[in-house]
Amino acid sequence: MAVMAHEDDEVMIAGYLAKIAQDEHKRIAIVYVTNGDAGGNAVGNEAGAALGQLRQMEARRALASLGIENVWFLNQHDTPNQNVLYSLDHWDHAHVLGELVRLVRITRPDVVLTWLPDPVAGENHADHQASGVAAVEAFDEAGDETRFPEQLSPPKDRRGMANLAEGLLPWQPQKLYFFTDAFEVFTAYWYDTGKLSPYRKNLGDGTGPSYDMKPISPARHISYAQIEADEQAYYMTQEGQLGVDAMKSKNFEHFDYPVKLIFGKSLVSGSVTGDVFEGVKAGAVAFKRVRGYEPPQENGLKFEIGDPWRFYSLFWQAHDLHQMAGLIPVPEIAADYGERLIIALRACNYSGNDAIFVMGATLPAGWSDNTEYKRYPVRSGECYPVAADVTSRSSGNEGWQELTWTANVGERKVGSVEMHAYVGKVGGLPR
Ligand SMILES: [Zn+2]
């Protein structure tokens, strides 16, 4: 099962989907959580709900070209932004989760593949992240008989009518993988020194299996890259013209990059970089309870990053996604030249006395700090959400820069928050 946010999200892994569907005869279910109704339309005036319908028509035809027939649309509103919690709030999160759990129980997937639940410097659409969050939740809940139990209870009279309850069986998927649109080409350079970044590698290197798209598909007799271009061409309201142009010129260089997947977790044997289906067992596996939420043990005074980063650190722990915290060790964000960014921080007072936090920012040359207040009185036992408000430099080369915020109480430094910002012509969604 692949859980996507928008109709056309699968194009970047379409060569891999064709390989497993048409060469390896795997059965594939695709779920789109939104109908893409806030997207642009490259070929007509249709927008909003009408565009949502067109995009679903495009998706059915595109997936049919890959040999995929099982497709579901959960029809949530497309929510262009970069904060996963804004998407989950604008969607009906509970409805989406219930539907995904139901579809896992109906289609009984061995493997779930979805967007990386992590903020990246990249397109970083919050709907992408939110589809990943909901898919992780469904992976962990579909085998739990106490979650959405109405789906599991047998109908009172199977041969009769007007039956309530759904008669499904619980199902535990075995392996979970992610994909991402993090901009790998600009993960490496520091603006101030021109040096390669030591702080993190490209997200797809060594974190999961990689599939070459240049070989010829035995079933289709064309390269996987060409299959991907052909699939892209079904999405004319979106970037279909790229596919049309590639097919016309027979130049597939925009499509022949390898499909790199990121290992999420596995309940069976197998290695991180091994094939997606390595170790997969035929039939059902036992339900695996995840750690779940455990409140962090806190004391004293604390100054930390806020949502969505803080949410993710709790989410990954709760769902046993152990390698996620190390994937992007320092929170990152992309910024256009002269773009205003508002970064959520938290001043927390777990001490027995009220305290006054005084916040300071260390910004690179050319950046400005528009944060309205520096002093934050925080009562004992409370956390105050601080909004750091900065504007990135308006010129210079593209590259990574470091931002740091610190908080003092009296003479004592109580904490600091570091963030890496990639400044360049990134465009796209509000940050
Ligand atoms: Zn998308």
Side-chain angles (χ1 to χ4, degrees):
M1 171 180 284
V3 181
M4 304 290 164
H6 311 115
E7 293 72 8
D8 85 344
D9 282 356
E10 80 289 352
V11 171
M12 61 184 289
I13 58 165
Y16 174 70
L17 294 175
K19 175 180 154 67
I20 58 173
Q22 295 175 314
D23 298 338
E24 299 173 15
H25 306 289
K26 301 272 194 282
R27 287 176 301 141
I28 300 182
I30 302 233
V31 188
Y32 296 99
V33 178
T34 83
N35 59 15
D37 57 349
N41 184 348
V43 292
N45 279 335
E46 301 89 347
L51 175 65
Q53 294 292 351
L54 288 186
R55 293 187 67 169
Q56 292 177 5
M57 292 163 71
E58 290 177 330
R60 287 190 189 93
R61 292 171 184 153
L63 294 180
S65 79
L66 305 176
I68 298 172
E69 297 173 340
N70 296 314
V71 49
W72 287 270
F73 302 94
L74 304 188
N75 265 308
Q76 301 300 296
H77 287 299
D78 185 2
T79 310
N81 82 103
Q82 303 213 342
N83 184 329
V84 63
L85 302 173
Y86 296 174
S87 285
L88 289 171
D89 193 48
H90 193 215
W91 298 356
D92 186 337
H93 182 176
H95 169 76
V96 168
L97 177 56
E99 287 284 31
L100 289 176
V101 166
R102 177 181 286 115
L103 290 170
V104 168
R105 288 167 174 171
I106 290 173
T107 63
R108 306 169 71 121
D110 296 322
V111 176
V112 173
L113 171 60
T114 188
W115 283 103
L116 185 72
D118 196 357
V120 297
E123 188 196 3
N124 197 33
H125 201 304
D127 286 348
H128 294 171
Q129 299 172 50
S131 64
V133 164
V136 168
E137 291 170 335
F139 185 101
D140 292 339
E141 294 191 13
D144 179 341
E145 293 190 60
T146 68
R147 296 297 291 151
F148 304 99
E150 66 279 14
Q151 297 175 3
L152 302 174
S153 202
K156 189 172 63 185
D157 174 7
R158 189 176 60 83
R159 295 193 197 111
M161 289 166 68
N163 273 306
L164 300 177
E166 300 182 33
L168 289 171
L169 296 172
W171 185 257
Q172 173 65 64
Q174 299 177 35
K175 298 179 88 177
L176 176 65
Y177 288 89
F178 304 122
F179 65 100
T180 178
D181 60 11
F183 296 160
E184 292 197 7
V185 289
F186 70 51
T187 50
Y189 290 94
W190 284 100
Y191 173 71
D192 297 297
T193 62
K195 292 213 170 81
L196 283 174
S197 163
Y199 86 91
R200 80 154 168 82
K201 56 187 179 182
N202 286 343
L203 294 184
D205 289 347
T207 52
S210 176
Y211 296 94
D212 190 359
M213 293 293 106
K214 288 177 180 161
I216 303 295
S217 155
R220 297 279 297 273
H221 309 293
I222 55 175
S223 72
Y224 296 109
Q226 182 170 347
I227 292 172
E228 219 161 282
D230 180 64
E231 207 240 355
Q232 171 100 74
Y234 286 90
Y235 289 104
M236 290 311 290
T237 67
Q238 305 301 304
E239 292 170 327
Q241 193 60 42
L242 284 175
V244 171
D245 293 345
M247 298 297 285
K248 215 178 268 175
S249 65
K250 303 212 182 308
N251 177 350
F252 302 107
E253 64 183 9
H254 291 304
F255 299 90
D256 66 8
Y257 51 84
V259 169
K260 291 179 173 184
L261 303 178
I262 296 173
F263 175 81
K265 62 181 173 179
S266 173
L267 309 188
V268 294
S269 63
S271 60
V272 166
T273 55
D275 182 67
V276 165
F277 292 92
E278 181 186 52
V280 165
K281 291 181 182 152
V285 298
F287 171 68
K288 168 81 163 46
R289 188 165 61 87
V290 290
R291 175 185 186 265
Y293 172 68
E294 288 171 19
Q297 292 299 310
E298 307 283 14
N299 51 59
L301 302 167
K302 192 172 184 186
F303 181 62
E304 62 181 355
I305 197 153
D307 289 336
W309 296 276
R310 179 174 181 274
F311 156 70
Y312 275 118
S313 66
L314 300 173
F315 176 78
W316 299 328
Q317 271 192 339
H319 291 273
D320 294 347
L321 298 172
H322 302 301
Q323 80 301 346
M324 290 294 292
L327 205 56
I328 303 178
V330 177
E332 66 181 34
I333 196 164
D336 224 317
Y337 293 109
E339 183 171 356
R340 182 180 176 204
L341 305 175
I342 295 179
I343 308 295
L345 306 169
R346 282 164 44 104
C348 291
N349 183 352
Y350 304 108
S351 77
N353 305 307
D354 296 351
I356 295 173
F357 288 68
V358 179
M359 195 177 83
T362 308
L363 305 177
W367 286 66
S368 58
D369 186 2
N370 327 307
T371 311
E372 194 172 1
Y373 302 108
K374 300 291 178 209
R375 286 176 80 257
Y376 297 89
V378 184
R379 278 191 288 265
S380 171
E382 295 187 356
C383 285
Y384 191 85
V386 177
D389 183 343
V390 299
T391 303
S392 65
R393 61 185 159 86
S394 56
S395 60
N397 292 334
E398 298 204 357
W400 287 103
Q401 295 191 291
E402 191 172 290
L403 318 177
T404 309
W405 292 273
T406 55
N408 280 50
V409 172
E411 295 297 297
R412 194 159 68 87
K413 178 174 160 183
V414 295
S416 68
V417 170
E418 194 187 337
M419 170 167 266
H420 291 162
Y422 190 90
V423 182
K425 279 306 311 163
V426 290
L429 304 167
R431 271 158 284 268

